[in-house]
PDB file of all heavy atoms in Angstrom:
ATOM      1  N   LEU B 240       0.940  -1.255  -0.001  1.00 97.00           N
ATOM      2  CA  LEU B 240      -0.027   0.013   0.025  1.00 97.00           C
ATOM      3  C   LEU B 240       0.892   1.191  -0.034  1.00 97.00           C
ATOM      4  O   LEU B 240       0.546   2.229  -0.746  1.00 97.00           O
ATOM      5  CB  LEU B 240      -0.982   0.050   1.265  1.00 97.00           C
ATOM      6  CG  LEU B 240      -2.129  -1.031   1.186  1.00 97.00           C
ATOM      7  CD1 LEU B 240      -2.834  -0.905   2.538  1.00 97.00           C
ATOM      8  CD2 LEU B 240      -3.030  -0.775  -0.032  1.00 97.00           C
ATOM      9  N   ALA B 241       1.901   1.264   0.734  1.00 97.00           N
ATOM     10  CA  ALA B 241       2.781   2.470   0.781  1.00 97.00           C
ATOM     11  C   ALA B 241       3.500   2.619  -0.567  1.00 97.00           C
ATOM     12  O   ALA B 241       3.550   3.851  -1.056  1.00 97.00           O
ATOM     13  CB  ALA B 241       3.929   2.188   1.885  1.00 97.00           C
ATOM     14  N   LYS B 242       3.769   1.517  -1.345  1.00 97.00           N
ATOM     15  CA  LYS B 242       4.242   1.814  -2.619  1.00 97.00           C
ATOM     16  C   LYS B 242       3.242   2.359  -3.622  1.00 97.00           C
ATOM     17  O   LYS B 242       3.423   3.189  -4.340  1.00 97.00           O
ATOM     18  CB  LYS B 242       4.746   0.404  -3.188  1.00 97.00           C
ATOM     19  CG  LYS B 242       6.161  -0.191  -2.617  1.00 97.00           C
ATOM     20  CD  LYS B 242       6.440  -1.370  -3.312  1.00 97.00           C
ATOM     21  CE  LYS B 242       7.528  -2.219  -2.488  1.00 97.00           C
ATOM     22  NZ  LYS B 242       7.772  -3.487  -2.938  1.00 97.00           N
ATOM     23  N   ILE B 243       2.000   1.701  -3.486  1.00 97.00           N
ATOM     24  CA  ILE B 243       1.021   2.186  -4.539  1.00 97.00           C
ATOM     25  C   ILE B 243       0.664   3.630  -4.278  1.00 97.00           C
ATOM     26  O   ILE B 243       0.397   4.375  -5.164  1.00 97.00           O
ATOM     27  CB  ILE B 243      -0.253   1.297  -4.220  1.00 97.00           C
ATOM     28  CG1 ILE B 243       0.017  -0.198  -4.686  1.00 97.00           C
ATOM     29  CG2 ILE B 243      -1.460   1.912  -4.905  1.00 97.00           C
ATOM     30  CD1 ILE B 243      -0.993  -1.082  -4.341  1.00 97.00           C
ATOM     31  N   PHE B 244       0.524   4.158  -2.997  1.00 97.00           N
ATOM     32  CA  PHE B 244       0.168   5.407  -2.729  1.00 97.00           C
ATOM     33  C   PHE B 244       1.373   6.444  -2.487  1.00 97.00           C
ATOM     34  O   PHE B 244       1.128   7.582  -2.139  1.00 97.00           O
ATOM     35  CB  PHE B 244      -0.696   5.431  -1.400  1.00 97.00           C
ATOM     36  CG  PHE B 244      -2.059   4.808  -1.758  1.00 97.00           C
ATOM     37  CD1 PHE B 244      -2.311   3.579  -1.346  1.00 97.00           C
ATOM     38  CD2 PHE B 244      -3.054   5.556  -2.464  1.00 97.00           C
ATOM     39  CE1 PHE B 244      -3.565   3.026  -1.670  1.00 97.00           C
ATOM     40  CE2 PHE B 244      -4.245   4.999  -2.722  1.00 97.00           C
ATOM     41  CZ  PHE B 244      -4.558   3.713  -2.254  1.00 97.00           C
ATOM     42  N   ASP B 245       2.608   5.989  -2.621  1.00 96.00           N
ATOM     43  CA  ASP B 245       3.878   6.810  -2.435  1.00 96.00           C
ATOM     44  C   ASP B 245       3.815   7.417  -1.061  1.00 96.00           C
ATOM     45  O   ASP B 245       3.990   8.708  -1.078  1.00 96.00           O
ATOM     46  CB  ASP B 245       4.020   7.798  -3.570  1.00 96.00           C
ATOM     47  CG  ASP B 245       5.280   8.272  -3.713  1.00 96.00           C
ATOM     48  OD1 ASP B 245       6.344   7.494  -3.270  1.00 96.00           O
ATOM     49  OD2 ASP B 245       5.585   9.398  -4.278  1.00 96.00           O
ATOM     50  N   ARG B 246       3.583   6.699  -0.018  1.00 96.00           N
ATOM     51  CA  ARG B 246       3.570   7.280   1.266  1.00 96.00           C
ATOM     52  C   ARG B 246       4.394   6.319   2.059  1.00 96.00           C
ATOM     53  O   ARG B 246       4.747   5.173   1.822  1.00 96.00           O
ATOM     54  CB  ARG B 246       2.125   7.291   1.781  1.00 96.00           C
ATOM     55  CG  ARG B 246       1.264   8.373   1.089  1.00 96.00           C
ATOM     56  CD  ARG B 246      -0.141   8.215   1.641  1.00 96.00           C
ATOM     57  NE  ARG B 246      -1.049   9.123   1.060  1.00 96.00           N
ATOM     58  CZ  ARG B 246      -1.674  10.016   1.871  1.00 96.00           C
ATOM     59  NH1 ARG B 246      -1.707   9.951   3.111  1.00 96.00           N
ATOM     60  NH2 ARG B 246      -2.574  10.868   1.345  1.00 96.00           N
ATOM     61  N   ASP B 247       4.662   6.810   3.422  1.00 97.00           N
ATOM     62  CA  ASP B 247       5.503   6.090   4.319  1.00 97.00           C
ATOM     63  C   ASP B 247       4.436   5.068   5.016  1.00 97.00           C
ATOM     64  O   ASP B 247       3.348   5.256   5.310  1.00 97.00           O
ATOM     65  CB  ASP B 247       6.028   6.894   5.391  1.00 97.00           C
ATOM     66  CG  ASP B 247       6.935   6.230   6.335  1.00 97.00           C
ATOM     67  OD1 ASP B 247       8.138   6.106   5.999  1.00 97.00           O
ATOM     68  OD2 ASP B 247       6.386   5.652   7.426  1.00 97.00           O
ATOM     69  N   VAL B 248       5.037   3.824   5.119  1.00 96.00           N
ATOM     70  CA  VAL B 248       4.101   2.824   5.654  1.00 96.00           C
ATOM     71  C   VAL B 248       3.583   3.100   7.045  1.00 96.00           C
ATOM     72  O   VAL B 248       2.394   2.496   7.404  1.00 96.00           O
ATOM     73  CB  VAL B 248       5.009   1.383   5.704  1.00 96.00           C
ATOM     74  CG1 VAL B 248       6.019   1.413   6.864  1.00 96.00           C
ATOM     75  CG2 VAL B 248       4.151   0.227   5.931  1.00 96.00           C
ATOM     76  N   THR B 249       4.138   3.856   7.876  1.00 95.00           N
ATOM     77  CA  THR B 249       3.597   4.280   9.182  1.00 95.00           C
ATOM     78  C   THR B 249       2.374   5.214   9.102  1.00 95.00           C
ATOM     79  O   THR B 249       1.633   5.273   9.988  1.00 95.00           O
ATOM     80  CB  THR B 249       4.688   5.112  10.018  1.00 95.00           C
ATOM     81  OG1 THR B 249       5.007   6.273   9.327  1.00 95.00           O
ATOM     82  CG2 THR B 249       5.963   4.268  10.196  1.00 95.00           C
ATOM     83  N   GLU B 250       2.023   5.647   7.941  1.00 95.00           N
ATOM     84  CA  GLU B 250       0.759   6.414   7.627  1.00 95.00           C
ATOM     85  C   GLU B 250      -0.409   5.599   7.626  1.00 95.00           C
ATOM     86  O   GLU B 250      -1.555   6.106   7.697  1.00 95.00           O
ATOM     87  CB  GLU B 250       0.892   7.341   6.474  1.00 95.00           C
ATOM     88  CG  GLU B 250       2.012   8.339   6.507  1.00 95.00           C
ATOM     89  CD  GLU B 250       2.019   9.217   5.279  1.00 95.00           C
ATOM     90  OE1 GLU B 250       0.935   9.713   4.776  1.00 95.00           O
ATOM     91  OE2 GLU B 250       3.140   9.382   4.710  1.00 95.00           O
ATOM     92  N   PHE B 251      -0.279   4.197   7.374  1.00 96.00           N
ATOM     93  CA  PHE B 251      -1.402   3.457   7.137  1.00 96.00           C
ATOM     94  C   PHE B 251      -1.997   2.773   8.440  1.00 96.00           C
ATOM     95  O   PHE B 251      -1.491   1.703   8.872  1.00 96.00           O
ATOM     96  CB  PHE B 251      -1.132   2.346   6.272  1.00 96.00           C
ATOM     97  CG  PHE B 251      -0.732   2.857   4.697  1.00 96.00           C
ATOM     98  CD1 PHE B 251       0.449   3.366   4.339  1.00 96.00           C
ATOM     99  CD2 PHE B 251      -1.887   2.975   3.965  1.00 96.00           C
ATOM    100  CE1 PHE B 251       0.495   3.985   3.177  1.00 96.00           C
ATOM    101  CE2 PHE B 251      -1.698   3.589   2.737  1.00 96.00           C
ATOM    102  CZ  PHE B 251      -0.419   4.002   2.302  1.00 96.00           C
ATOM    103  N   THR B 252      -2.853   3.565   9.007  1.00 96.00           N
ATOM    104  CA  THR B 252      -3.445   3.038  10.303  1.00 96.00           C
ATOM    105  C   THR B 252      -4.709   2.366   9.999  1.00 96.00           C
ATOM    106  O   THR B 252      -5.292   2.650   8.799  1.00 96.00           O
ATOM    107  CB  THR B 252      -3.716   4.273  11.266  1.00 96.00           C
ATOM    108  OG1 THR B 252      -4.733   5.172  10.505  1.00 96.00           O
ATOM    109  CG2 THR B 252      -2.595   5.033  11.544  1.00 96.00           C
ATOM    110  N   PRO B 253      -5.254   1.601  10.807  1.00 96.00           N
ATOM    111  CA  PRO B 253      -6.599   0.811  10.498  1.00 96.00           C
ATOM    112  C   PRO B 253      -7.805   1.806  10.206  1.00 96.00           C
ATOM    113  O   PRO B 253      -8.585   1.452   9.394  1.00 96.00           O
ATOM    114  CB  PRO B 253      -6.867   0.026  11.748  1.00 96.00           C
ATOM    115  CG  PRO B 253      -5.481  -0.199  12.339  1.00 96.00           C
ATOM    116  CD  PRO B 253      -4.728   1.099  12.051  1.00 96.00           C
ATOM    117  N   GLU B 254      -7.706   3.068  10.797  1.00 97.00           N
ATOM    118  CA  GLU B 254      -8.807   3.936  10.558  1.00 97.00           C
ATOM    119  C   GLU B 254      -8.590   4.856   9.120  1.00 97.00           C
ATOM    120  O   GLU B 254      -9.734   5.511   8.789  1.00 97.00           O
ATOM    121  CB  GLU B 254      -8.886   5.008  11.648  1.00 97.00           C
ATOM    122  CG  GLU B 254      -9.143   4.316  12.983  1.00 97.00           C
ATOM    123  CD  GLU B 254      -7.786   3.718  13.654  1.00 97.00           C
ATOM    124  OE1 GLU B 254      -6.656   4.227  13.286  1.00 97.00           O
ATOM    125  OE2 GLU B 254      -8.003   2.812  14.510  1.00 97.00           O
ATOM    126  N   LEU B 255      -7.499   4.689   8.527  1.00 97.00           N
ATOM    127  CA  LEU B 255      -7.217   5.446   7.312  1.00 97.00           C
ATOM    128  C   LEU B 255      -8.388   5.029   6.283  1.00 97.00           C
ATOM    129  O   LEU B 255      -8.393   3.898   5.952  1.00 97.00           O
ATOM    130  CB  LEU B 255      -5.878   5.121   6.796  1.00 97.00           C
ATOM    131  CG  LEU B 255      -5.391   6.192   5.666  1.00 97.00           C
ATOM    132  CD1 LEU B 255      -5.169   7.621   6.158  1.00 97.00           C
ATOM    133  CD2 LEU B 255      -4.090   5.593   5.075  1.00 97.00           C
ATOM    134  N   ARG B 256      -8.994   5.984   5.661  1.00 97.00           N
ATOM    135  CA  ARG B 256     -10.042   5.725   4.758  1.00 97.00           C
ATOM    136  C   ARG B 256      -9.536   5.948   3.305  1.00 97.00           C
ATOM    137  O   ARG B 256      -8.822   6.840   3.081  1.00 97.00           O
ATOM    138  CB  ARG B 256     -11.195   6.707   4.937  1.00 97.00           C
ATOM    139  CG  ARG B 256     -11.867   6.424   6.341  1.00 97.00           C
ATOM    140  CD  ARG B 256     -13.081   7.413   6.599  1.00 97.00           C
ATOM    141  NE  ARG B 256     -14.231   6.968   5.764  1.00 97.00           N
ATOM    142  CZ  ARG B 256     -15.032   5.938   6.014  1.00 97.00           C
ATOM    143  NH1 ARG B 256     -14.788   5.073   6.967  1.00 97.00           N
ATOM    144  NH2 ARG B 256     -15.917   5.669   5.102  1.00 97.00           N
ATOM    145  N   PHE B 257      -9.904   4.969   2.460  1.00 96.00           N
ATOM    146  CA  PHE B 257      -9.373   4.998   0.959  1.00 96.00           C
ATOM    147  C   PHE B 257      -9.958   6.154   0.278  1.00 96.00           C
ATOM    148  O   PHE B 257      -9.133   6.866  -0.363  1.00 96.00           O
ATOM    149  CB  PHE B 257      -9.798   3.785   0.339  1.00 96.00           C
ATOM    150  CG  PHE B 257      -9.023   2.481   0.777  1.00 96.00           C
ATOM    151  CD1 PHE B 257      -9.597   1.533   1.553  1.00 96.00           C
ATOM    152  CD2 PHE B 257      -7.652   2.427   0.467  1.00 96.00           C
ATOM    153  CE1 PHE B 257      -8.774   0.493   2.017  1.00 96.00           C
ATOM    154  CE2 PHE B 257      -6.875   1.257   0.922  1.00 96.00           C
ATOM    155  CZ  PHE B 257      -7.423   0.297   1.652  1.00 96.00           C
ATOM    156  N   LYS B 258     -11.177   6.418   0.354  1.00 94.00           N
ATOM    157  CA  LYS B 258     -11.814   7.545  -0.487  1.00 94.00           C
ATOM    158  C   LYS B 258     -11.475   8.818   0.054  1.00 94.00           C
ATOM    159  O   LYS B 258     -11.043   9.804  -0.724  1.00 94.00           O
ATOM    160  CB  LYS B 258     -13.330   7.349  -0.437  1.00 94.00           C
ATOM    161  CG  LYS B 258     -14.042   8.369  -1.377  1.00 94.00           C
ATOM    162  CD  LYS B 258     -15.534   8.136  -1.499  1.00 94.00           C
ATOM    163  CE  LYS B 258     -16.179   9.073  -2.343  1.00 94.00           C
ATOM    164  NZ  LYS B 258     -17.624   8.928  -2.374  1.00 94.00           N
ATOM    165  N   GLU B 259     -11.714   9.069   1.506  1.00 95.00           N
ATOM    166  CA  GLU B 259     -11.521  10.412   1.927  1.00 95.00           C
ATOM    167  C   GLU B 259     -10.169  10.785   2.304  1.00 95.00           C
ATOM    168  O   GLU B 259      -9.646  11.990   1.940  1.00 95.00           O
ATOM    169  CB  GLU B 259     -12.448  10.601   3.266  1.00 95.00           C
ATOM    170  CG  GLU B 259     -14.010  10.410   3.054  1.00 95.00           C
ATOM    171  CD  GLU B 259     -14.395   9.091   3.004  1.00 95.00           C
ATOM    172  OE1 GLU B 259     -13.606   8.003   2.916  1.00 95.00           O
ATOM    173  OE2 GLU B 259     -15.673   8.824   2.874  1.00 95.00           O
ATOM    174  N   ASP B 260      -9.325   9.818   2.623  1.00 96.00           N
ATOM    175  CA  ASP B 260      -7.979  10.155   3.177  1.00 96.00           C
ATOM    176  C   ASP B 260      -6.937   9.964   2.050  1.00 96.00           C
ATOM    177  O   ASP B 260      -6.014  10.776   1.912  1.00 96.00           O
ATOM    178  CB  ASP B 260      -7.599   9.432   4.344  1.00 96.00           C
ATOM    179  CG  ASP B 260      -8.573   9.643   5.594  1.00 96.00           C
ATOM    180  OD1 ASP B 260      -8.970  10.794   5.717  1.00 96.00           O
ATOM    181  OD2 ASP B 260      -8.644   8.802   6.386  1.00 96.00           O
ATOM    182  N   LEU B 261      -7.140   8.912   1.348  1.00 95.00           N
ATOM    183  CA  LEU B 261      -6.145   8.544   0.225  1.00 95.00           C
ATOM    184  C   LEU B 261      -6.555   9.043  -1.146  1.00 95.00           C
ATOM    185  O   LEU B 261      -5.617   9.141  -1.998  1.00 95.00           O
ATOM    186  CB  LEU B 261      -5.855   7.166   0.352  1.00 95.00           C
ATOM    187  CG  LEU B 261      -5.184   6.625   1.557  1.00 95.00           C
ATOM    188  CD1 LEU B 261      -5.141   4.968   1.490  1.00 95.00           C
ATOM    189  CD2 LEU B 261      -3.781   7.097   1.597  1.00 95.00           C
ATOM    190  N   VAL B 262      -7.939   9.442  -1.170  1.00 95.00           N
ATOM    191  CA  VAL B 262      -8.400   9.752  -2.623  1.00 95.00           C
ATOM    192  C   VAL B 262      -7.924   8.776  -3.606  1.00 95.00           C
ATOM    193  O   VAL B 262      -7.188   8.985  -4.556  1.00 95.00           O
ATOM    194  CB  VAL B 262      -7.920  11.237  -3.018  1.00 95.00           C
ATOM    195  CG1 VAL B 262      -8.699  11.587  -4.250  1.00 95.00           C
ATOM    196  CG2 VAL B 262      -8.075  12.167  -1.788  1.00 95.00           C
ATOM    197  N   THR B 263      -8.290   7.531  -3.356  1.00 94.00           N
ATOM    198  CA  THR B 263      -7.930   6.367  -4.223  1.00 94.00           C
ATOM    199  C   THR B 263      -8.513   6.278  -5.620  1.00 94.00           C
ATOM    200  O   THR B 263      -9.665   6.615  -5.884  1.00 94.00           O
ATOM    201  CB  THR B 263      -8.316   5.012  -3.471  1.00 94.00           C
ATOM    202  OG1 THR B 263      -7.851   5.094  -2.216  1.00 94.00           O
ATOM    203  CG2 THR B 263      -7.799   3.840  -4.190  1.00 94.00           C
ATOM    204  N   SER B 264      -7.666   6.199  -6.580  1.00 95.00           N
ATOM    205  CA  SER B 264      -8.121   6.229  -8.018  1.00 95.00           C
ATOM    206  C   SER B 264      -8.461   4.677  -8.378  1.00 95.00           C
ATOM    207  O   SER B 264      -8.233   3.734  -7.667  1.00 95.00           O
ATOM    208  CB  SER B 264      -6.957   6.651  -8.892  1.00 95.00           C
ATOM    209  OG  SER B 264      -5.952   5.719  -9.031  1.00 95.00           O
ATOM    210  N   SER B 265      -9.257   4.560  -9.430  1.00 94.00           N
ATOM    211  CA  SER B 265      -9.638   3.182 -10.032  1.00 94.00           C
ATOM    212  C   SER B 265      -8.273   2.279 -10.207  1.00 94.00           C
ATOM    213  O   SER B 265      -8.299   1.231  -9.932  1.00 94.00           O
ATOM    214  CB  SER B 265     -10.372   3.294 -11.160  1.00 94.00           C
ATOM    215  OG  SER B 265     -11.724   3.960 -10.864  1.00 94.00           O
ATOM    216  N   MET B 266      -7.248   3.082 -10.693  1.00 96.00           N
ATOM    217  CA  MET B 266      -6.081   2.340 -11.132  1.00 96.00           C
ATOM    218  C   MET B 266      -5.450   1.706  -9.730  1.00 96.00           C
ATOM    219  O   MET B 266      -4.883   0.639  -9.729  1.00 96.00           O
ATOM    220  CB  MET B 266      -5.203   3.150 -11.766  1.00 96.00           C
ATOM    221  CG  MET B 266      -3.850   2.454 -12.248  1.00 96.00           C
ATOM    222  SD  MET B 266      -4.094   0.959 -13.256  1.00 96.00           S
ATOM    223  CE  MET B 266      -4.655   1.654 -14.749  1.00 96.00           C
ATOM    224  N   GLN B 267      -5.424   2.664  -8.717  1.00 96.00           N
ATOM    225  CA  GLN B 267      -4.711   2.167  -7.403  1.00 96.00           C
ATOM    226  C   GLN B 267      -5.604   1.002  -6.888  1.00 96.00           C
ATOM    227  O   GLN B 267      -5.099   0.033  -6.207  1.00 96.00           O
ATOM    228  CB  GLN B 267      -4.839   3.380  -6.523  1.00 96.00           C
ATOM    229  CG  GLN B 267      -3.805   4.391  -6.889  1.00 96.00           C
ATOM    230  CD  GLN B 267      -3.873   5.601  -6.036  1.00 96.00           C
ATOM    231  OE1 GLN B 267      -4.969   6.167  -5.829  1.00 96.00           O
ATOM    232  NE2 GLN B 267      -2.711   6.180  -5.640  1.00 96.00           N
ATOM    233  N   LYS B 268      -6.976   1.139  -7.028  1.00 95.00           N
ATOM    234  CA  LYS B 268      -7.774  -0.122  -6.418  1.00 95.00           C
ATOM    235  C   LYS B 268      -7.417  -1.339  -7.283  1.00 95.00           C
ATOM    236  O   LYS B 268      -7.294  -2.490  -6.603  1.00 95.00           O
ATOM    237  CB  LYS B 268      -9.255   0.266  -6.491  1.00 95.00           C
ATOM    238  CG  LYS B 268      -9.724   1.362  -5.643  1.00 95.00           C
ATOM    239  CD  LYS B 268     -11.152   1.555  -5.760  1.00 95.00           C
ATOM    240  CE  LYS B 268     -11.539   2.560  -4.724  1.00 95.00           C
ATOM    241  NZ  LYS B 268     -12.905   3.115  -4.701  1.00 95.00           N
ATOM    242  N   LEU B 269      -7.236  -1.226  -8.621  1.00 96.00           N
ATOM    243  CA  LEU B 269      -6.893  -2.476  -9.300  1.00 96.00           C
ATOM    244  C   LEU B 269      -5.494  -2.938  -8.937  1.00 96.00           C
ATOM    245  O   LEU B 269      -5.291  -4.175  -8.853  1.00 96.00           O
ATOM    246  CB  LEU B 269      -6.973  -2.083 -10.865  1.00 96.00           C
ATOM    247  CG  LEU B 269      -8.288  -1.784 -11.398  1.00 96.00           C
ATOM    248  CD1 LEU B 269      -8.091  -1.363 -12.841  1.00 96.00           C
ATOM    249  CD2 LEU B 269      -9.040  -3.169 -11.494  1.00 96.00           C
ATOM    250  N   MET B 270      -4.548  -2.024  -8.537  1.00 97.00           N
ATOM    251  CA  MET B 270      -3.274  -2.398  -8.083  1.00 97.00           C
ATOM    252  C   MET B 270      -3.566  -3.174  -6.842  1.00 97.00           C
ATOM    253  O   MET B 270      -2.727  -4.243  -6.497  1.00 97.00           O
ATOM    254  CB  MET B 270      -2.464  -1.278  -8.000  1.00 97.00           C
ATOM    255  CG  MET B 270      -2.035  -0.604  -9.329  1.00 97.00           C
ATOM    256  SD  MET B 270      -1.255   0.982  -9.146  1.00 97.00           S
ATOM    257  CE  MET B 270       0.441   0.563  -8.686  1.00 97.00           C
ATOM    258  N   ILE B 271      -4.327  -2.689  -5.962  1.00 96.00           N
ATOM    259  CA  ILE B 271      -4.448  -3.364  -4.615  1.00 96.00           C
ATOM    260  C   ILE B 271      -5.149  -4.778  -4.906  1.00 96.00           C
ATOM    261  O   ILE B 271      -4.688  -5.684  -4.194  1.00 96.00           O
ATOM    262  CB  ILE B 271      -5.503  -2.549  -3.778  1.00 96.00           C
ATOM    263  CG1 ILE B 271      -4.779  -1.209  -3.344  1.00 96.00           C
ATOM    264  CG2 ILE B 271      -5.852  -3.441  -2.439  1.00 96.00           C
ATOM    265  CD1 ILE B 271      -5.617  -0.127  -2.698  1.00 96.00           C
ATOM    266  N   VAL B 272      -6.046  -4.933  -5.772  1.00 96.00           N
ATOM    267  CA  VAL B 272      -6.590  -6.108  -6.124  1.00 96.00           C
ATOM    268  C   VAL B 272      -5.430  -7.142  -6.449  1.00 96.00           C
ATOM    269  O   VAL B 272      -5.435  -8.222  -6.148  1.00 96.00           O
ATOM    270  CB  VAL B 272      -7.633  -6.031  -7.270  1.00 96.00           C
ATOM    271  CG1 VAL B 272      -8.036  -7.479  -7.806  1.00 96.00           C
ATOM    272  CG2 VAL B 272      -8.981  -5.380  -6.814  1.00 96.00           C
ATOM    273  N   ALA B 273      -4.555  -6.610  -7.454  1.00 97.00           N
ATOM    274  CA  ALA B 273      -3.484  -7.457  -7.868  1.00 97.00           C
ATOM    275  C   ALA B 273      -2.545  -7.942  -6.729  1.00 97.00           C
ATOM    276  O   ALA B 273      -2.121  -9.157  -6.623  1.00 97.00           O
ATOM    277  CB  ALA B 273      -2.657  -6.768  -8.869  1.00 97.00           C
ATOM    278  N   VAL B 274      -2.384  -7.083  -5.704  1.00 95.00           N
ATOM    279  CA  VAL B 274      -1.513  -7.370  -4.537  1.00 95.00           C
ATOM    280  C   VAL B 274      -2.290  -8.351  -3.685  1.00 95.00           C
ATOM    281  O   VAL B 274      -1.666  -9.485  -3.273  1.00 95.00           O
ATOM    282  CB  VAL B 274      -1.340  -6.104  -3.687  1.00 95.00           C
ATOM    283  CG1 VAL B 274      -0.813  -6.386  -2.330  1.00 95.00           C
ATOM    284  CG2 VAL B 274      -0.317  -5.148  -4.469  1.00 95.00           C
ATOM    285  N   ILE B 275      -3.581  -8.318  -3.524  1.00 94.00           N
ATOM    286  CA  ILE B 275      -4.378  -9.290  -2.726  1.00 94.00           C
ATOM    287  C   ILE B 275      -4.201 -10.702  -3.269  1.00 94.00           C
ATOM    288  O   ILE B 275      -4.023 -11.590  -2.692  1.00 94.00           O
ATOM    289  CB  ILE B 275      -5.809  -8.745  -2.601  1.00 94.00           C
ATOM    290  CG1 ILE B 275      -5.868  -7.570  -1.771  1.00 94.00           C
ATOM    291  CG2 ILE B 275      -6.677  -9.854  -1.863  1.00 94.00           C
ATOM    292  CD1 ILE B 275      -7.196  -6.737  -1.772  1.00 94.00           C
ATOM    293  N   GLU B 276      -4.490 -10.534  -4.817  1.00 94.00           N
ATOM    294  CA  GLU B 276      -4.488 -11.898  -5.274  1.00 94.00           C
ATOM    295  C   GLU B 276      -3.024 -12.585  -5.314  1.00 94.00           C
ATOM    296  O   GLU B 276      -2.923 -13.842  -4.969  1.00 94.00           O
ATOM    297  CB  GLU B 276      -4.790 -11.792  -6.833  1.00 94.00           C
ATOM    298  CG  GLU B 276      -6.266 -11.405  -7.038  1.00 94.00           C
ATOM    299  CD  GLU B 276      -6.812 -11.298  -8.488  1.00 94.00           C
ATOM    300  OE1 GLU B 276      -5.856 -11.086  -9.367  1.00 94.00           O
ATOM    301  OE2 GLU B 276      -7.943 -11.299  -8.712  1.00 94.00           O
ATOM    302  N   GLU B 277      -1.957 -11.834  -5.382  1.00 94.00           N
ATOM    303  CA  GLU B 277      -0.662 -12.264  -5.312  1.00 94.00           C
ATOM    304  C   GLU B 277      -0.256 -12.860  -3.952  1.00 94.00           C
ATOM    305  O   GLU B 277       0.230 -13.947  -3.770  1.00 94.00           O
ATOM    306  CB  GLU B 277       0.354 -11.275  -5.737  1.00 94.00           C
ATOM    307  CG  GLU B 277       1.823 -11.746  -5.654  1.00 94.00           C
ATOM    308  CD  GLU B 277       2.693 -10.649  -6.054  1.00 94.00           C
ATOM    309  OE1 GLU B 277       2.421  -9.826  -6.958  1.00 94.00           O
ATOM    310  OE2 GLU B 277       3.858 -10.599  -5.597  1.00 94.00           O
ATOM    311  N   LEU B 278      -0.687 -12.138  -2.917  1.00 91.00           N
ATOM    312  CA  LEU B 278      -0.406 -12.513  -1.586  1.00 91.00           C
ATOM    313  C   LEU B 278      -1.180 -13.674  -1.009  1.00 91.00           C
ATOM    314  O   LEU B 278      -0.689 -14.419  -0.158  1.00 91.00           O
ATOM    315  CB  LEU B 278      -0.409 -11.222  -0.602  1.00 91.00           C
ATOM    316  CG  LEU B 278       0.650 -10.189  -0.925  1.00 91.00           C
ATOM    317  CD1 LEU B 278       0.392  -8.911   0.003  1.00 91.00           C
ATOM    318  CD2 LEU B 278       2.127 -10.760  -0.791  1.00 91.00           C
ATOM    319  N   THR B 279      -2.445 -13.721  -1.496  1.00 90.00           N
ATOM    320  CA  THR B 279      -3.345 -14.737  -0.870  1.00 90.00           C
ATOM    321  C   THR B 279      -3.777 -15.998  -1.717  1.00 90.00           C
ATOM    322  O   THR B 279      -4.061 -16.973  -1.403  1.00 90.00           O
ATOM    323  CB  THR B 279      -4.799 -14.272  -0.562  1.00 90.00           C
ATOM    324  OG1 THR B 279      -5.456 -13.837  -1.789  1.00 90.00           O
ATOM    325  CG2 THR B 279      -4.674 -13.036   0.385  1.00 90.00           C
ATOM    326  N   GLY B 280      -3.289 -15.876  -3.105  1.00 91.00           N
ATOM    327  CA  GLY B 280      -3.467 -16.918  -4.072  1.00 91.00           C
ATOM    328  C   GLY B 280      -4.957 -17.009  -4.331  1.00 91.00           C
ATOM    329  O   GLY B 280      -5.412 -17.952  -5.007  1.00 91.00           O
ATOM    330  N   GLN B 281      -5.843 -16.004  -3.885  1.00 91.00           N
ATOM    331  CA  GLN B 281      -7.326 -16.094  -4.257  1.00 91.00           C
ATOM    332  C   GLN B 281      -7.601 -15.037  -5.272  1.00 91.00           C
ATOM    333  O   GLN B 281      -7.021 -13.894  -5.345  1.00 91.00           O
ATOM    334  CB  GLN B 281      -7.928 -15.626  -2.848  1.00 91.00           C
ATOM    335  CG  GLN B 281      -7.764 -16.530  -1.672  1.00 91.00           C
ATOM    336  CD  GLN B 281      -8.739 -17.753  -1.715  1.00 91.00           C
ATOM    337  OE1 GLN B 281      -9.755 -17.731  -2.373  1.00 91.00           O
ATOM    338  NE2 GLN B 281      -8.384 -18.632  -0.910  1.00 91.00           N
TER     339      GLN B 281
END
């Protein structure tokens, strides 16, 4: 997540909101999907 959003890993708290705090783009969400699939095999 830190790589995808170009932020320090310490900024990622459980309360951090994707839409409001990170202003997540569709491309970033697709990148997160790819990470989840790679790490979980699902």
Side-chain angles (χ1 to χ4, degrees):
L240 289 175
K242 288 180 197 174
I243 291 169
F244 291 99
D245 195 28
R246 293 180 177 228
D247 190 86
V248 72
T249 60
E250 295 180 49
F251 290 89
T252 64
E254 299 81 23
L255 191 68
R256 300 183 66 77
F257 287 107
K258 183 177 179 182
E259 294 84 354
D260 300 327
L261 293 170
V262 192
T263 308
S264 70
S265 294
M266 183 57 73
Q267 288 168 318
K268 287 180 184 176
L269 289 173
M270 293 168 73
I271 294 169
V272 166
V274 165
I275 294 167
E276 289 181 343
E277 181 180 326
L278 293 177
T279 66
Q281 301 272 343

